[in-house]
Amino acid sequence: MKKGTVKELLSSSCFKNWKSMLIEGETIDAEDLDLIMDMASLERKIMINVDSMPINFSHRKALHFLEMDYHEAHWIRVEDLMTIRNSFSVSLISNYFTCDHLNQLIRFWFKCDYCMFRHLTIHMTDSFLVTSIFKSLIYLSTSRLGLQQFFILSHRYELVEFPISVISWTGTNFKMSTVPIEGEYKQEAKILKILMRKKQLEEELESGSEFENTRLNYELQISKQQLENQGVLLKLLQPDFLLLTLYKDTVFFLIRHFNRSLIPLTPPLITRLWLLCCRAKTFNGT
């Protein structure tokens, strides 16, 4: 691409209000790329599919488009992802992201009081390490017909329009979507709210006075009762594992609390848990 070509096109009245742009080729000039990024807005979509990007390229508005598809994304840092706001979709192919970076991003999203994005796809070379990705987070893991999904409820769920993150790992792609609280995953959100409150009460119990602990224990029992009312049965599998069985949908929930390990949800384990669920139903007369 010759220097000035992009500048000439963008200066033309025909391209003044462009909505979508596709850039393909071996490389692109840094000056031309700066001009394009300067025009970023939530009314524009961009796809860049070049073999190599300018060395040390960086731009504060690179992730400020409505939709972004960057094939060569080694230049994007996790700090750049944290600048996304109200975008619809982001797709990054070649990059340097690790599971620890994903954890940083999710924890940032968890505290946000605004919508960052609706859909995020990051091609990964790392394995899907649950303990790294969800470190210091309370999350819900479900398995339906072999599809495993992970759910996190935003700390600011009362303010955010799409406060539930639905995370999955498809092939080598990390996928994170955000959805409204009133919808397909309404029940998962309800359970996560109770678990977040339960965790808060447990932390307060560690530092509360004897008088306060009486009240906190009472509220903690209410939280446990609420879980039972949701058709959730808490079973201690091992000291660090909690299994929640949702009778209504016969879905198994594995809850990981802060810095605890998650038991792998393998087909043999699902079969064993299903049998436990059936026995529990019979025992409770359901």
Side-chain angles (χ1 to χ4, degrees), residues 187 228 230-235 244-253 273-274 276-284 286:
Q187 192 163 16
E228 292 184 13
Q230 287 296 314
V232 176
L233 176 65
L234 282 169
K235 280 186 176 293
L244 278 78
T245 305
L246 186 60
Y247 290 154
K248 182 177 180 182
D249 298 319
T250 60
V251 176
F252 300 105
F253 292 93
L273 296 180
W274 169 251
L276 283 173
C277 179
C278 292
R279 292 172 185 169
K281 284 184 177 181
T282 303
F283 179 79
N284 286 283
T286 57

Side-chain angles (χ1 to χ4, degrees), residues 93 188 254:
I93 307 301
E188 283 86 343
L254 290 175

Side-chain angles (χ1 to χ4, degrees), residues 24-47:
E24 293 183 308
E26 294 182 1
T27 187
I28 182 172
D29 185 82
E31 184 178 349
D32 290 339
L33 198 52
D34 277 332
L35 288 172
I36 296 170
M37 297 301 179
D38 284 338
M39 302 181 74
S41 80
L42 293 177
E43 296 181 350
R44 288 174 169 157
K45 307 174 184 179
I46 188 168
M47 176 186 289

Side-chain angles (χ1 to χ4, degrees), residues 151 161 163-164 179-190:
F151 299 86
E161 185 177 3
I164 304 174
V179 297
I181 204 164
E182 296 293 335
E184 180 181 358
Y185 303 112
K186 182 178 180 179
Q187 192 163 16
E188 283 86 343
K190 187 177 293 186

Side-chain angles (χ1 to χ4, degrees), residues 18 60 119 198 212 218 221:
W18 63 273
R60 62 184 181 84
H119 304 285
K198 179 175 176 289
E212 290 175 328
Y218 175 73
Q221 292 306 313

